[in-house]
Amino acid sequence: MPAVSTTLRVLAVSVIASLTVTGCQTLDDAGRALGRADLVNDLAARLDGSLVETWTAEYQLPGGRTSSIAQQKQPAQSAYAWADGKITVSEQAITRCATDAGRTTCTMHPPVLMSGKASVPLFTEARKLGLVTPPAVIRVLTEAALDPQAQVRQTDTTIAGQHATCVDVRRSAGDFTACVTSGGVLGSFTGTLDDRPAEVTLSRYTDTVASTAFDLPAGAEVTDRRAATA
């Protein structure tokens, strides 16, 4: 699993560095001027590094909907929750929950090797459901590099009280804007992912995790398939 994250990081670094970037240089957290390649390197490193940290991020979605991502470093576990479902990943299980007509059901599956990065299998499961994930955003940036006409403009902003660096990408395959906070959390994304419109904006961030973040929804009917597939 670590190879997946490392591959995405290397792709992102080589990708964005090859894009045509406009705009002024930015400053890193220490106030040093960053060149364009250094800026992209920093963004990729932030996204990758956050996969092993402890934090909670809440997002605003179109139509007033919300979602949240929670990660814990030790023991390694992650959760992605939204109005109609929840995915939790730990060393004990991968659990998918869904709510339909007021009834919530959860299915527990055997865990996978994650080498301390519970977010890797979490984001794999989330992407299958069309949810926005940091690795999916990196893949879109990678695709943009294949377009020699792609242009990127860098800006800085504040999202949910967090400093964030943003890239505004213009390309024939579809424009998009992505922002990453100084802590490596996805600050916002507007564009298309896996042929579906996607829009998320960070609304709240904390470097702690609630004790109930990885609990299954109250009253859920739970099916444990770990023994059956072991």
Side-chain angles (χ1 to χ4, degrees), residues 36-104:
R36 292 169 182 172
D38 291 333
L39 168 63
V40 176
N41 230 339
D42 181 60
L43 287 177
R46 289 184 204 177
L47 284 169
D48 186 67
S50 70
L51 298 182
V52 292
E53 298 302 326
T54 296
W55 49 265
T56 301
E58 297 177 5
Y59 291 92
Q60 188 68 43
L61 309 177
R65 296 174 297 124
T66 61
S67 67
S68 66
I69 299 174
Q71 289 192 176
Q72 181 171 283
K73 185 173 183 178
Q74 189 63 39
Q77 51 187 342
S78 293
Y80 200 140
W82 62 102
D84 300 322
K86 185 174 185 178
I87 303 170
T88 61
V89 174
S90 69
E91 296 176 346
Q92 287 73 46
I94 293 178
T95 306
R96 306 186 192 97
C97 299
T99 300
D100 184 28
R103 176 171 172 261
T104 301

Side-chain angles (χ1 to χ4, degrees), residues 19-221:
L19 293 174
T20 300
V21 182
T22 61
C24 300
Q25 288 183 322
T26 187
L27 298 178
D28 66 7
D29 294 334
R32 296 184 297 266
L34 291 176
R36 292 169 182 172
D38 291 333
L39 168 63
V40 176
N41 230 339
D42 181 60
L43 287 177
R46 289 184 204 177
L47 284 169
D48 186 67
S50 70
L51 298 182
V52 292
E53 298 302 326
T54 296
W55 49 265
T56 301
E58 297 177 5
Y59 291 92
Q60 188 68 43
L61 309 177
R65 296 174 297 124
T66 61
S67 67
S68 66
I69 299 174
Q71 289 192 176
Q72 181 171 283
K73 185 173 183 178
Q74 189 63 39
Q77 51 187 342
S78 293
Y80 200 140
W82 62 102
D84 300 322
K86 185 174 185 178
I87 303 170
T88 61
V89 174
S90 69
E91 296 176 346
Q92 287 73 46
I94 293 178
T95 306
R96 306 186 192 97
C97 299
T99 300
D100 184 28
R103 176 171 172 261
T104 301
T105 58
C106 297
T107 303
M108 303 177 69
H109 300 270
V112 297
L113 179 65
M114 55 190 185
S115 299
K117 288 189 176 181
S119 59
V120 173
L122 173 77
F123 290 144
T124 298
E125 293 298 319
R127 189 184 181 198
K128 294 176 183 177
L129 298 175
L131 301 172
V132 178
T133 68
V137 173
I138 294 177
R139 288 188 179 94
V140 172
L141 289 169
T142 303
E143 293 170 1
L146 300 178
D147 182 356
Q149 302 302 316
Q151 294 185 347
V152 174
R153 183 175 183 274
Q154 178 267 321
T155 58
D156 291 279
T157 189
T158 300
I159 304 176
Q162 305 296 308
H163 173 267
T165 301
C166 305
V167 285
D168 185 31
V169 179
R170 301 300 173 187
R171 57 176 186 153
S172 59
D175 302 338
F176 65 89
T177 300
C179 298
V180 180
T181 71
S182 297
V185 174
L186 181 63
S188 67
F189 179 86
T190 302
T192 301
L193 292 175
D194 297 322
D195 299 321
R196 286 178 283 219
E199 181 179 351
V200 295
T201 302
L202 182 67
S203 58
R204 181 175 178 271
Y205 168 83
T206 176
D207 59 4
T208 61
V209 175
S211 60
T212 58
F214 308 107
D215 293 348
L216 299 185
E221 299 177 20

